[in-house]
Amino acid sequence: MSKKIIIDCDPGQDDAVALFLAMSSPDELEILGITTVAGNVPLNLTQRNARIICDIANYKNAKVFSGCSRPILVDLVTAENVHGNTGIDGIDIFEPETTLRKMHAVDFIIETLSEAEANSITLVPTGPLTNIALAIIKDPSILKAVKQIVLMGGAMREAGNLGASAEFNMRVDPHAARVVFECGIPIIVMSLDVTHKVLTSRERVNEIESIGNSVSSATANMLKFFARYDSEKYGIDGAPLHDPCTIAWLLKEDLFSGKECNVRIETDSSLTLGHTSVDFWGVEGNTPNAIWIEDIDDVGFYNLLIDRLKRFD
Ligand code: BDR
Ligand code: CA
């Protein structure tokens, strides 16, 4: 039976690849909706980018929603330095045919979860957690329908990528992240600790490009642009392919390994705002609320991605 998911994203080249990976796998994943949030670029661009990605994949069932245009309490920080001014630099931008649904993303999440069976839906956030947190605040009863939350965010062994100790999605809306990490639903965390192990090397991007369909070409072109910033910053061949780790986990969990632990989000300190405090060794004695993914079979991950991109032929 396919897993029912809602993808909450801020495309973003790596969000875009996560969407492609999910759309390539209809037997395993039923995408109930794609909700968008301000993050890598402002909301008017993330919602448009999600629809462009649906058009490129010729994904006719897409239900795309626009959500929150800013974090709950702090000012929005965007990442054009990483993703380019459009958020998905590397491909040509066009006005997509996929329409934007009228309903607000938060209301779509609430309505969908309210009508669903208990424990039946997986939330997959790959951007700041504003939409998810506001849905929880507006109607906490929706949580009974949530089986798990598989999200990209946080850092423990790897240093921060927005500030010294915080990862981008957590730092952009730390208060939303705190609401989500305290909501009581099991969270599978794809932090920088694991995403920095799946680099978009030139060889891998060339292999993706050689598939030769429109989705693989778009993926390769976006990843070439995306690698530019991180390869210079970290002195590595390629960039960490963050967001697709969430979908890959849903498709092939055995590629990953991790540990149950308690994770809390820093919301008070201006120095470490958005930091994920991971009690990896259980020294604080709090009940685990997350599985902190530590390791990945990176070869298996790229084999999966490449196989699935071939399905768009
Ligand atoms: C996360 O931040 C964004 O720039 C990426 O899309 C990813 O979700 C990585 O820190
Ligand atoms: Ca993202």
Side-chain angles (χ1 to χ4, degrees):
M1 212 176 70
S2 66
K3 296 171 182 156
K4 294 180 195 300
I5 63 172
I6 296 173
I7 303 177
D8 186 67
C9 57
D10 63 335
Q13 291 91 350
D14 59 327
D15 304 77
V17 179
L19 289 170
F20 284 150
L21 187 57
M23 289 172 193
S24 74
S25 310
D27 291 346
E28 291 130 298
L29 301 177
E30 184 187 347
I31 308 171
L32 303 177
I34 298 168
T35 54
T36 56
V37 67
N40 287 321
V41 285
L43 181 66
N44 64 320
L45 299 184
T46 58
Q47 59 85 357
R48 179 206 61 185
N49 293 349
R51 293 184 294 122
I52 288 177
I53 295 307
C54 293
D55 274 24
I56 293 172
N58 199 20
Y59 187 72
K60 301 285 183 206
N61 305 330
K63 285 195 206 166
V64 180
F65 300 85
S66 184
C68 296
S69 60
R70 47 154 284 199
I72 296 174
L73 284 181
V74 295
D75 290 339
L76 176 65
V77 179
T78 51
E80 285 84 358
N81 56 336
V82 181
H83 299 272
N85 286 335
T86 68
I88 48 172
D89 273 27
I91 57 171
D92 291 335
I93 299 301
F94 56 90
E95 189 46 43
E97 279 177 18
T98 302
T99 55
L100 185 65
R101 303 284 165 141
K102 285 208 171 63
M103 190 182 264
H104 192 279
V106 171
D107 294 324
F108 167 75
I109 294 168
I110 291 173
E111 187 180 279
T112 307
L113 294 176
S114 304
E115 291 167 359
E117 284 172 24
N119 285 322
S120 63
I121 296 181
T122 296
L123 301 179
V124 188
T126 62
L129 290 162
T130 323
N131 288 339
I132 307 293
L134 286 189
I136 294 169
I137 291 168
K138 195 168 174 188
D139 185 356
S141 74
I142 59 174
L143 287 170
K144 64 181 181 313
V146 182
K147 183 175 175 219
Q148 60 197 351
I149 300 172
V150 186
L151 64 81
M152 191 281 135
M156 177 183 65
R157 298 212 158 89
E158 186 66 46
N161 64 358
L162 183 61
S165 63
E167 180 278 332
F168 181 84
N169 291 336
M170 301 293 108
R171 169 60 187 81
V172 170
D173 198 339
H175 302 92
R178 182 166 167 187
V179 169
V180 171
F181 274 84
E182 292 179 1
C183 79
I185 298 293
I187 303 177
I188 292 87
V189 189
M190 299 294 161
S191 75
L192 298 181
D193 296 358
V194 68
T195 68
H196 276 239
K197 293 177 178 166
V198 279
L199 300 180
T200 63
S201 66
R202 247 164 294 187
E203 200 185 327
R204 285 168 172 162
V205 174
N206 289 343
E207 202 177 337
I208 290 171
E209 190 159 40
S210 71
I211 298 171
N213 63 41
S214 48
V215 173
S216 63
S217 303
T219 301
N221 289 335
M222 284 192 289
L223 293 185
K224 280 184 206 164
F225 182 90
F226 185 56
R228 180 197 43 99
Y229 176 85
D230 279 341
S231 46
E232 192 182 327
K233 174 178 169 190
Y234 298 113
I236 51 179
D237 176 17
L241 192 48
H242 310 286
D243 294 338
C245 289
T246 56
I247 302 294
W249 187 85
L250 287 166
L251 294 174
K252 219 165 184 283
E253 197 180 318
D254 60 4
L255 292 174
F256 297 85
S257 57
K259 189 173 174 188
E260 267 199 323
C261 43
N262 185 271
V263 179
R264 290 189 291 157
I265 310 294
E266 176 59 59
T267 51
D268 296 331
S269 155
S270 57
L271 182 64
T272 57
L273 194 62
H275 173 69
T276 38
S277 174
V278 183
D279 187 8
F280 197 72
W281 300 113
V283 293
E284 291 174 353
N286 294 318
T287 310
N289 58 350
I291 300 177
W292 190 263
I293 301 295
E294 272 229 286
D295 226 333
I296 181 164
D297 167 1
D298 63 322
V299 174
F301 171 88
Y302 276 97
N303 286 342
L304 174 71
L305 178 61
I306 287 164
D307 272 3
R308 297 298 163 110
L309 291 176
K310 287 179 182 164
R311 293 183 173 181
F312 290 99
D313 279 341

